[in-house]
Amino acid sequence: MPVDDFLAGLPKVELHLHLEGSLEPELAFSIAKRNAISLPYADVEDLRAAYRFTRLQDFLDIYYRGMSVLRTEQDFYDLTFAYLTRMHAQSVRHVEVFFDPQAHTHRGVPFETVLDGVYRALIDGERLYGITFHLILCFLRHLDEEDGFATLEQALPHQDRIFGVGLDSSEVGHPPAKFSRLFSRCRDEGFTVMAHAGEEGPPDYVWQALDGLQVARIDHGNRALEDPELVRRLAQSGHTLTVCPLSNLRLCVVDRMEDHPIRTMLEAGLRPTVNSDDPAYFGGYMTENYRAVVEGLALSREEVVRLARNGIDGSFASNDRKAVLHDELNAYLAQTA
Ligand code: HPA
Ligand code: ZN
């Protein structure tokens, strides 16, 4: 079986996906049109041509501009459902997705409008495609902790629909420690917590996420490899790293896919997983991210299977659901042996 077909059919789990980063230019234009908003780009090609980044902040500027077309509950539904339809076509079986409520409430879109649209689509995706999910609220780290607390107050009445909280946006200059009181409160409220760390920020930010925020998972974590003591710590604690290969390439976290550290992470006894981050902006969804590392690093079938298993084991799915996902993976491996 050709490797592309094997990767397309491989049952997969996505643990690092910003819903707003799955907004394809075509959908952005059609939503802009129905909301009578004009985008500062001539057409879809012109917008896609703007997707050239040399660092995280260049991307974030365009990411926030793109999502500004999202206004109604239906917009958030359509965004989320389009993502799930793609994931169904790519044999993705479980997703844990981020949303950035502050990026919407600061534009005057009510918190409930965002949550209701996203959640309705997630329920439909589970019903129609069998894709199970968790929804994770990300705090924007370029804003202050008080803004985060205000957002938490808006989230608390909806805790039945929000599984966990994360920390995203501009990393350098906004260390995890800036949010230690907020994350402590979130843990007390029963949210599972995670944080982006070590994408552009130094290994110390990963230490802060672990020891200060007490995260259950590290999003990215690439730069942890610069600190041998931190590598030992992560290997021992078994924290999952939600690695995003095409994102790393597009944001120049790595220069070439041949230099991507995901195999080094495996060899160091860490638990990396493959994810897409902001697929509309970085050139690919789950299958494309697997393909990128398989081609760039000539990963073996065993290494690919290890990454897929890490996705299941590193998820926050129930033990029963994890067992089903492993069974599906095992059946697929037997069938493609
Ligand atoms: N890093 C930080 N913040 C983000 C990202 C990312 O890759 N994508 C969306 N928000
Ligand atoms: Zn991310």
Side-chain angles (χ1 to χ4, degrees), residues 243-250 254 257 260 262 274-275 289 292-293:
V243 176
C244 305
L246 287 171
S247 165
N248 293 158
L249 187 66
R250 288 296 191 94
V254 299
M257 204 48 86
H260 197 279
I262 202 162
V274 175
N275 309 276
N289 271 278
V293 281

Side-chain angles (χ1 to χ4, degrees), residues 107-307:
R107 305 183 283 113
V109 179
F111 186 95
E112 285 74 16
T113 299
V114 181
L115 180 62
D116 290 351
V118 164
Y119 201 81
R120 184 160 63 85
L122 289 167
I123 292 290
D124 281 355
E126 179 162 359
R127 188 167 49 83
L128 292 167
Y129 303 137
I131 300 174
T132 49
F133 66 87
H134 283 308
L135 180 59
I136 298 155
L137 181 164
C138 272
F139 296 108
L140 299 182
R141 68 202 304 160
H142 66 271
L143 300 176
D144 61 26
E145 195 180 33
E146 283 315 307
D147 209 290
F149 272 112
T151 302
L152 174 60
E153 288 305 324
Q154 294 182 293
L156 283 173
H158 309 291
Q159 213 174 346
D160 54 328
R161 290 185 283 170
I162 301 171
F163 177 81
V165 303
L167 188 63
D168 69 356
S169 193
S170 320
E171 186 180 7
V172 174
H174 303 284
K178 178 179 165 186
F179 297 94
S180 53
R181 289 184 315 124
L182 176 62
F183 271 64
S184 167
R185 171 88 193 283
C186 288
R187 293 195 314 275
D188 288 346
E189 295 289 352
F191 289 106
T192 296
V193 308
M194 63 213 83
H196 283 54
E199 180 184 21
E200 284 191 344
D204 182 49
Y205 285 22
V206 179
W207 282 111
Q208 289 181 28
L210 290 170
D211 291 333
L213 304 189
Q214 298 177 35
V215 295
R217 199 155 73 196
I218 297 283
D219 294 313
H220 294 296
N222 297 47
R223 291 194 60 192
L225 291 174
E226 294 169 23
D227 179 345
E229 184 62 32
L230 179 55
V231 170
R232 277 193 289 278
R233 164 73 185 276
L234 288 167
Q236 191 232 335
S237 67
H239 275 78
T240 295
L241 308 179
T242 65
V243 176
C244 305
L246 287 171
S247 165
N248 293 158
L249 187 66
R250 288 296 191 94
L251 299 182
C252 305
V253 169
V254 299
D255 292 332
R256 309 176 313 151
M257 204 48 86
E258 289 77 1
D259 303 328
H260 197 279
I262 202 162
R263 174 185 277 132
T264 307
M265 290 170 170
L266 284 171
E267 289 171 347
L270 307 185
R271 288 194 180 191
T273 57
V274 175
N275 309 276
S276 74
D277 209 3
D278 302 280
Y281 292 90
F282 299 146
Y285 289 77
M286 284 295 285
T287 301
E288 291 80 12
N289 271 278
Y290 268 94
R291 193 185 300 141
V293 281
V294 167
E295 283 175 3
L297 299 169
L299 294 185
S300 67
R301 178 173 159 115
E302 286 66 34
E303 286 169 319
V304 172
V305 172
R306 172 52 48 204
L307 292 168

Side-chain angles (χ1 to χ4, degrees), residues 17 19 22 27 77-93 95 97 121-122 124-126 128-131 285 287:
L17 177 283
L19 284 170
S22 71
L27 186 59
Y77 178 93
D78 290 348
L79 170 75
T80 305
F81 197 75
Y83 163 69
L84 292 167
T85 300
R86 284 180 184 265
M87 292 306 88
H88 177 58
Q90 294 201 347
S91 311
V92 172
R93 312 295 303 131
V95 298
V97 295
L122 289 167
D124 281 355
E126 179 162 359
L128 292 167
Y129 303 137
I131 300 174
Y285 289 77
T287 301

